[in-house]
């Protein structure tokens, strides 16, 4: 009698809110700096559609919500009509392949430079504390300089930024996206309000955990009220040390966010689309050897606590291999797993992981180059490699 090998849960269907997914492998958000002039283009349409599968979930690169939101060259926006029109060709291409497409909404806050700000003004943040010089801002000419000293938003200005997020979400739906993911991670603006080593405010947005969560809660409520909670998702990284964004009690912060999301869902009578949590091992890869590497147990412990606390669909990301993804989904630590670099270098990532095929290696030197082909749209599919192989 021949035994059968059971398909790992990672490759099984999943009901994500209103969307029936055919598998649980997700394209993670990856800033690739290919949007010339901030406008989505044909190269981006090819990149995303090549990675789309029937019933597969894709999340865009971080997409800026307003003129003050950018902090790097060639990043797409979703706040002008030209940007909305540019995104339509991308969403159409993904939907033609049967993919589910989510737009990640981004404001970098203090992770910017005056060169990217209207009138050369200071970037906005929760405080006036700049990012330390161990981190560098990528300039329009692709050189690197220190981040600029930010200015702290006035209390009266914060609702205006909430409105920018809300309008960007409305614009994303107009552009054809199936939903949005609020970028509340990696020490960008929302995270700058959440984390106590950055947020030194004494107003309604600083001090206590409740106050530090207020900007996030207001943003989630505003977007969910406009496009529906079932189209609204959030990404957080409470344990990550990136761009000097750390918190003295990261697990307590993560649990506080989960508690408030559960309350929002209770108020709406509907769950949000998902919560997306970045594990600390991701940022070790980005930051380099000078950042202490969290242990594997710390990452799993974080996932277990937040997964148990949040009452909805849960995505995790962070340096996953095929086996660690299979294990985390099998153990119930996550419902879905997002892959970044592996998906960048392997447009047919889902097929390769499922069939255990060899993987292309990514080319780091082209990550942020702006080239529409090299290191972006020239990674071969497995079938193309087979066809190109010499006959034996």
């Amino acid at each position: 009698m021949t035994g059968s090998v059971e398909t790992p849960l990672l490759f099984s269907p999943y009901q994500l809110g209103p969307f029936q997914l055919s598998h649980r492998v997700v394209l993670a958000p990856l800033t690739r700096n290919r949007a010339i002039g901030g406008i989505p283009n044909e190269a981006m349409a090819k990149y995303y559609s090549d990675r789309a599968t029937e019933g597969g979930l894709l999340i865009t690169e971080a997409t800026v919500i307003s003129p003050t939101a950018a902090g790097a060259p060639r990043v797409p926006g979703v706040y002008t009509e030209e940007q909305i029109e540019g995104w339509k060709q991308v969403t159409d291409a993904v939907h033609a392949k049967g993919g589910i497409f989510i737009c990640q909404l981004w404001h970098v806050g203090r992770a910017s430079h005056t060169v990217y700000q209207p009138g050369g003004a200071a970037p906005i943040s929760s405080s006036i504390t700049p990012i330390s010089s161990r981190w560098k801002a990528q300039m329009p000419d692709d050189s690197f300089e220190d981040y600029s000293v930010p200015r702290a938003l006035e209390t009266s200005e914060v609702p205006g930024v909430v409105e920018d997020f809300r309008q960007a979400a409305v614009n994303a739906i107009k552009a054809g996206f199936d939903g949005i993911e609020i970028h509340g991670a990696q020490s960008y603006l929302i995270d700058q309000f959440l984390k106590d080593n950055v947020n030194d405010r004494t107003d309604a947005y600083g001090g206590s955990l409740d106050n530090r969560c207020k900007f996030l809660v207001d943003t989630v409520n505003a977007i969910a009220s406009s496009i529906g909670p079932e189209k609204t998702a959030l990404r957080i990284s409470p344990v990550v040390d990136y761009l000097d964004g750390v918190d003295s009690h990261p697990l307590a912060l993560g649990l506080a966010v989960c508690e408030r999301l559960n309350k929002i869902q209770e108020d709406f009578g509907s769950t949000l689309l998902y919560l997306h949590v970045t594990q600390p091992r991701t940022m070790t890869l980005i930051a380099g050897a000078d950042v202490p590497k969290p242990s594997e147990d710390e990452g799993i412990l974080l996932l277990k606590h937040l997964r148990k606390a949040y009452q909805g669909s849960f995505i995790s990301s962070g340096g996953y291999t095929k086996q660690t993804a299979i294990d985390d989904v099998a153990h119930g630590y996550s419902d879905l797993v997002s892959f970044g670099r592996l998906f960048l270098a392997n447009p047919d990532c889902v097929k390769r992981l499922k069939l255990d095929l060899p993987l292309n290696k990514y080319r780091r030197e082209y990550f942020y180059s702006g080239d529409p082909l090299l290191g972006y749209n020239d990674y071969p599919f497995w079938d193309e490699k087979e066809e190109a192989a010499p006959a034996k």
Side-chain angles (χ1 to χ4, degrees):
M1 182 175 178
T2 303
S4 60
V5 178
E6 186 176 351
T7 301
L9 201 57
L10 180 67
F11 304 109
S12 68
Y14 182 79
Q15 187 69 41
L16 181 68
F19 307 113
Q20 178 63 50
L21 304 184
S22 61
H23 57 81
R24 305 176 186 221
V25 176
V26 180
L27 173 64
L30 287 171
T31 294
R32 292 291 84 124
N33 306 85
R34 261 65 177 192
I36 307 302
I39 311 299
N41 51 48
E42 290 183 8
M44 293 169 62
K46 175 173 171 53
Y47 170 80
Y48 284 110
S49 63
D50 277 354
R51 287 154 183 79
T53 54
E54 184 74 35
L57 181 66
L58 298 87
I59 308 170
T60 68
E61 62 210 273
T63 302
V64 296
I65 63 166
S66 71
T68 68
R74 304 180 299 275
V75 293
V78 69
Y79 59 88
T80 71
E81 286 300 320
E82 189 176 6
Q83 290 166 344
I84 294 169
E85 288 301 312
W87 274 121
K88 286 180 179 179
Q89 66 180 313
V90 187
T91 58
D92 285 349
V94 169
H95 288 147
K97 299 282 285 290
I100 311 301
F101 206 14
I102 305 300
C103 183
Q104 188 189 68
L105 303 182
W106 190 34
H107 196 303
V108 302
R110 68 176 184 167
S112 187
H113 189 280
T114 54
V115 72
Y116 295 114
Q117 298 301 308
I124 60 175
S125 183
S126 61
S127 78
I128 62 171
T129 304
I131 295 171
S132 68
S133 60
R134 75 164 171 145
W135 308 95
K136 302 296 180 181
Q138 185 178 0
M139 304 302 285
D141 64 359
D142 292 323
S143 63
F144 290 87
E145 294 186 11
D146 287 347
Y147 286 101
S148 297
V149 176
R151 73 172 183 87
L153 282 166
E154 298 290 340
T155 305
S156 61
E157 293 180 296
V158 179
V161 184
V162 173
E163 170 58 20
D164 288 340
F165 270 102
R166 188 203 67 81
Q167 185 60 56
V170 172
N171 293 347
I173 300 303
K174 181 179 177 182
F177 286 101
D178 298 296
I180 65 90
E181 177 183 285
I182 301 165
H183 198 337
Q186 294 165 295
S187 197
Y188 296 118
L189 184 59
I190 289 176
D191 209 24
Q192 291 161 28
F193 275 80
L194 290 174
K195 289 182 174 172
D196 60 9
N197 86 311
V198 183
N199 186 342
D200 57 5
R201 304 175 72 93
T202 58
D203 63 359
Y205 296 95
S208 68
L209 254 179
D210 196 52
N211 284 1
R212 285 186 280 125
C213 289
K214 179 174 169 52
F215 179 31
L216 171 61
V217 169
D218 289 351
T219 300
V220 174
N221 271 318
I223 291 175
S225 294
S226 292
I227 68 171
E230 74 284 354
K231 296 180 181 179
T232 305
L234 170 67
R235 191 182 198 187
I236 60 171
S237 58
V239 181
V240 163
D241 175 11
Y242 182 60
L243 300 176
D244 299 337
V246 296
D247 191 83
S248 59
H249 297 93
L251 181 55
L253 173 60
L255 292 174
V257 171
C258 290
E259 178 185 348
R260 283 152 183 80
L261 295 182
N262 291 339
K263 177 63 165 60
I264 289 171
Q265 294 177 156
E266 181 182 340
D267 291 343
F268 276 100
S270 172
T271 58
L272 299 171
L273 185 56
Y274 60 78
L275 175 63
H276 189 177
V277 176
T278 302
Q279 293 193 72
R281 59 189 173 196
T282 305
M283 305 335 289
T284 303
L285 296 173
I286 294 175
D290 60 330
V291 177
K293 183 176 181 179
S295 71
E296 197 75 11
D297 288 344
E298 285 178 296
I300 292 175
L301 184 64
L302 169 74
L303 277 186
K304 289 174 68 175
H305 281 295
L306 299 189
R307 179 69 193 90
K308 183 177 179 181
Y310 178 60
Q311 298 167 6
S313 293
F314 194 92
I315 302 178
S316 59
S317 61
Y320 273 98
T321 65
K322 173 183 174 178
Q323 193 57 52
T324 57
I326 287 174
D327 291 345
D328 277 9
V329 172
H331 291 137
Y333 300 152
S334 190
D335 297 311
L336 303 99
V337 172
S338 66
F339 292 85
R341 293 169 176 82
L342 287 185
F343 229 137
L344 165 69
N346 298 275
D348 52 353
C349 182
V350 179
K351 175 180 179 178
R352 291 185 190 236
L353 292 178
K354 187 174 183 179
L355 300 181
D356 205 24
L357 298 172
L359 296 167
N360 299 323
K361 294 182 179 180
Y362 58 78
R363 289 169 285 164
R364 186 182 296 273
E365 66 270 26
Y366 295 116
F367 276 5
Y368 310 107
S369 70
D371 192 296
L373 179 65
L374 293 177
Y376 189 62
N377 277 324
D378 62 344
Y379 289 109
F381 288 79
W382 174 254
D383 293 344
E384 294 171 341
K385 293 184 73 171
E386 285 289 278
E387 292 172 3
K392 293 183 179 180

